[in-house]
Amino acid sequence: MNMSMTQEIIIAGFGGQGVLSMGQIIAYAAMEGKKEVSWMPSYGPEMRGGTANCTVIVSDSRISSPIITKFDTAIVLNQPSIEKFENAVKPGGILIYEKSTILRPPSRKDIEVLAIPGLEEAQKLKSKQVANMILLGAFLEMRPIVKLEHVISALHSVLPPHRQHLIPLNEQALARGKELAIQVATEMVVR
Amino acid sequence: MASGNGKSNTRLMKGNEALAEAALRAGMQAYFGYPITPQTEVMEYLSIQAPNYPGVVILQAESEIAAINMVHGASGVGARVMISSSSPGISLMQECLSYMASAQLPAVIVNVQRGGPGLGTIQPSQADYFQAVKGGGHGDYHLIVLAPSSVQEMVDFIFDAFRLTEKYRNPAMILADGALGQMMEKVTLPVAGSLPKTNAPWATIGKPNSRERNIITSLFIQPERMEKLNLVLQEKYNQLQKEVRWEEYQTEDAEIVLVAFGLTSRICDKTMNLAREKGLKVGLLRPITLYPFPTNALAKLAKHAKVFLTVEMNAGQMVEDVRLAINGKCPVHFYGRMGGMIPSPEEVLIKVESIAKEFQTAHA
């Protein structure tokens, strides 16, 4: 790492899509990598049947405000969150979204936008629960702020004992996400 | 939900869970509570850990009022005891907190504040400042009040609060908020057993021949005796002033000094850095203890600063303490959000810029 790095991330979607745990996995992996980290969930009325989100800050230096309104990266899994967070991405930032659930794709030209078919690819892996890990893989390909080995050890910590056998599947999903990001990003350049 | 190797002392934890783990490591012997968002994870975590701590009482009472009276009882027999709740629940406890201050009983009370008044919201707030620092219940008393601003301080201040409450035999409050309770950060946990146990000379656990019997009461019918107790309490609050704690950031050359506690102090830390990037000389004073309040530190800054800006998640409750400290030497402005809304660093910056413009025009 050459200079001081800070990455401010929002992850948003419906409750049950694994939004909060994605954030926790990044946070835990960052901690394994000896970085400063903060994970702030939405826990308000919007969680009751509506959207859930969390902000994650990963930094080489002390984190001041855990409350942020502009993000380097947005990972978005549902339509309402596109509307809420598209304009909150800093210019030059990145917006990764789940292709199958977004009807009106983002339109900004000053950020990188990646449509990742996480759900479709997860179904090919016979587990739609890992769609979030495919998106996470795509993010880590674009912004390798944490090491993959730390993400794997994060899974060991975050998953309850009766889910530990799913770690290899999650690893596959992460790898698939990385491939998709390269593919989608290349297509963007060609187009 | 706490992540990390169970044996490791550095973990990624939620504020509520970290606080609960810290209480166990601080040798807490009894906890009483009643669920309320956003702090229910405290009791949840303690209940899960309870089997690993035989002899430690973890009890969900039938109400907050029952719970705080159980705290009174446990403290009366010399137990190291804690209770946690959120704003409406803390309101219910005020009568007993006054009794405990009068009976000079130690206990740690954790308020993970939410928006009010009334049942309000479940979102973060700092609107219980008055209640926490001015007394809350009836009579001339104070709580010792510590305001954490990170998950690490949710841990550290548990140890500080137990130490202070036992040293001064006065209830101590940790005044947190819903965001600090719900967020996860990296924490380093202190070693269990590092806080020495008090011998609780006040405890009513049987009278040995060597001393007079201990009586725990807050009823002193004769006014002469009641006034005498009040004088003892006032002398205690005098002594407490030496426990005052605060932090200053970039105040040396600051023209505008932000004053903020808890979560808001971290928001202001970012505002300060954004303002400095724009060439504005902005500093930050963060009270760590809200009672005792860092009056002298503020008075000292008022000698060279031009203006103060208090930032809170309430309608400006700390402003009067800041104004008393500044004593008319500089203007004291206020910016805040209420009802569970959190100010962003950028919106505080807008306020800072408008103040800067004002005094630049005034001095032009």
Side-chain angles (χ1 to χ4, degrees):
Chain A
M1 198 74 48
N2 45 3
M3 54 181 285
S4 179
M5 178 280 294
T6 297
Q7 177 76 206
E8 299 178 327
I9 308 157
I10 176 108
I11 309 174
F14 289 120
Q17 283 182 311
V19 164
L20 299 183
S21 53
M22 267 167 98
Q24 278 188 10
I25 290 165
I26 297 173
Y28 191 81
M31 192 189 88
E32 291 273 295
K34 308 274 181 237
K35 292 187 191 305
E36 296 302 320
V37 57
S38 132
W39 174 90
M40 176 77 79
S42 64
Y43 67 92
E46 69 266 38
M47 276 187 77
R48 314 250 157 116
T51 59
N53 69 65
C54 64
T55 56
V56 182
I57 306 174
V58 175
S59 182
D60 291 327
S61 48
R62 191 177 69 94
I63 294 166
S64 58
S65 176
I67 308 295
I68 46 175
T69 50
K70 295 285 173 195
F71 308 96
D72 300 302
T73 299
I75 305 174
V76 178
L77 286 80
N78 70 357
Q79 187 66 42
S81 301
I82 287 278
E83 277 141 36
K84 200 168 173 189
F85 297 115
E86 180 181 354
N87 288 325
V89 180
K90 297 176 199 171
I94 178 169
L95 195 165
I96 298 172
Y97 69 91
E98 166 56 53
K99 200 174 179 181
S100 67
T101 52
I102 306 300
L103 302 170
R104 291 181 298 281
S107 57
R108 276 180 65 182
K109 303 289 174 222
D110 60 338
I111 57 173
E112 273 185 280
V113 177
L114 265 75
I116 301 290
L119 209 54
E120 191 187 318
E121 292 293 326
Q123 270 152 356
K124 287 183 196 163
L125 293 172
K126 308 231 181 318
S127 170
K128 61 181 185 187
Q129 279 90 342
V130 295
N132 64 340
M133 298 302 290
I134 292 175
L135 268 76
L136 182 59
F139 164 65
L140 292 175
E141 180 59 35
M142 302 304 290
R143 297 286 186 271
I145 54 163
V146 292
K147 287 187 181 149
L148 201 60
E149 62 187 89
H150 291 150
V151 176
I152 307 302
S153 64
L155 284 168
H156 284 277
S157 301
V158 170
L159 289 175
H162 65 282
R163 294 262 184 266
Q164 295 277 326
H165 66 281
L166 296 173
I167 287 170
L169 179 65
N170 279 279
E171 283 187 63
Q172 270 183 303
L174 283 164
R176 187 68 194 121
K178 282 173 150 298
E179 287 167 15
L180 284 168
I182 296 167
Q183 213 175 307
V184 173
T186 318
E187 280 167 15
M188 274 170 45
V189 174
V190 172
R191 196 176 53 199
Chain B
M1 198 128 96
S3 309
N5 180 338
K7 290 189 187 78
S8 163
N9 284 325
T10 299
R11 296 191 208 169
L12 184 70
M13 291 181 98
K14 264 193 173 194
N16 285 334
E17 294 174 335
L19 178 142
E21 176 66 29
L24 290 168
R25 290 180 181 229
M28 179 186 73
Q29 293 165 299
Y31 169 91
F32 305 96
Y34 187 79
I36 180 170
T37 307
Q39 66 75 53
T40 302
E41 293 89 355
V42 176
M43 187 159 50
E44 186 185 16
Y45 186 91
L46 290 173
S47 307
I48 292 166
Q49 293 297 322
N52 304 325
Y53 291 84
V56 176
V57 175
I58 310 291
L59 186 84
Q60 177 178 334
E62 67 267 38
S63 73
E64 287 89 347
I65 297 174
I68 191 68
N69 281 280
M70 290 173 185
V71 168
H72 188 300
S75 183
V77 295
R80 186 169 279 171
V81 57
M82 182 173 93
I83 188 166
S84 66
S85 187
S86 180
S87 308
I90 297 288
S91 289
L92 285 168
M93 298 174 192
Q94 294 303 325
E95 178 199 41
C96 192
L97 291 178
S98 167
Y99 285 22
M100 290 182 73
S102 179
Q104 304 197 69
L105 289 175
V108 172
I109 301 105
V110 180
N111 183 358
V112 184
Q113 296 169 92
R114 59 190 242 180
L119 272 178
T121 64
I122 58 174
Q123 298 300 107
S125 168
Q126 298 178 322
D128 303 347
Y129 178 90
F130 278 154
Q131 186 192 57
V133 307
K134 308 289 180 189
H138 58 282
D140 268 319
Y141 79 95
H142 284 285
L143 301 175
I144 301 162
V145 185
L146 293 156
S149 70
S150 64
V151 176
Q152 183 65 55
E153 287 184 344
M154 293 286 260
V155 168
D156 297 342
F157 288 7
I158 283 287
F159 280 70
D160 294 333
F162 275 125
R163 185 176 53 75
L164 289 169
T165 193
E166 286 167 7
K167 181 174 174 190
Y168 291 94
R169 285 184 55 185
N170 192 75
M173 176 173 279
I174 292 182
L175 192 66
D177 66 68
L180 289 169
Q182 295 298 322
M183 70 190 281
M184 289 177 107
E185 287 185 314
K186 185 162 70 172
V187 285
T188 304
L189 295 160
V191 182
S194 57
L195 191 68
K197 177 75 190 97
T198 165
N199 57 358
W202 64 86
T204 48
I205 45 174
K207 179 196 166 304
N209 289 331
S210 55
R211 64 159 167 82
E212 287 300 300
R213 65 190 180 129
N214 282 338
I215 300 171
I216 290 170
T217 181
S218 69
L219 180 66
F220 302 88
I221 286 290
Q222 296 151 307
E224 293 82 2
R225 283 190 65 200
M226 193 69 233
E227 187 181 47
K228 215 169 152 188
L229 173 76
N230 268 279
L231 289 169
V232 169
L233 294 181
Q234 291 306 314
E235 177 49 29
K236 174 154 74 181
Y237 302 140
N238 260 340
Q239 293 295 322
L240 250 175
Q241 301 307 313
K242 67 172 180 279
E243 305 288 353
V244 68
R245 284 168 65 189
W246 73 95
E247 270 176 357
E248 291 180 34
Y249 299 94
Q250 306 198 48
T251 48
E252 301 79 14
D253 66 340
E255 294 178 334
I256 303 177
V257 177
L258 305 175
V259 188
F261 68 93
L263 180 75
T264 320
S265 69
R266 288 179 65 182
I267 294 166
C268 286
D269 185 357
K270 185 150 186 177
T271 302
M272 176 184 72
N273 290 324
L274 294 170
R276 288 263 167 187
E277 281 168 24
K278 295 191 167 200
L280 295 171
K281 287 182 178 168
V282 175
L284 168 64
L285 185 141
R286 171 206 166 202
I288 294 173
T289 52
L290 298 180
Y291 189 86
F293 192 73
T295 305
N296 294 339
L298 279 162
K300 212 169 143 194
L301 288 183
K303 286 178 189 160
H304 63 76
K306 288 201 170 82
V307 55
F308 286 74
L309 171 63
T310 302
V311 183
E312 302 172 66
M313 293 194 288
N314 61 43
Q317 298 185 21
M318 188 172 64
V319 172
E320 60 186 55
D321 287 330
V322 176
R323 286 214 174 111
L324 279 171
I326 305 303
N327 202 14
K329 290 196 179 66
C330 307
V332 179
H333 294 262
F334 169 70
Y335 184 78
R337 297 293 297 266
M338 294 168 285
M341 296 299 290
I342 307 177
S344 71
E346 291 79 11
E347 66 183 277
V348 180
L349 180 64
I350 292 170
K351 180 72 179 177
V352 169
E353 287 178 308
S354 86
I355 291 169
K357 207 173 262 174
E358 227 169 80
F359 81 66
Q360 272 155 8
T361 329
H363 292 265

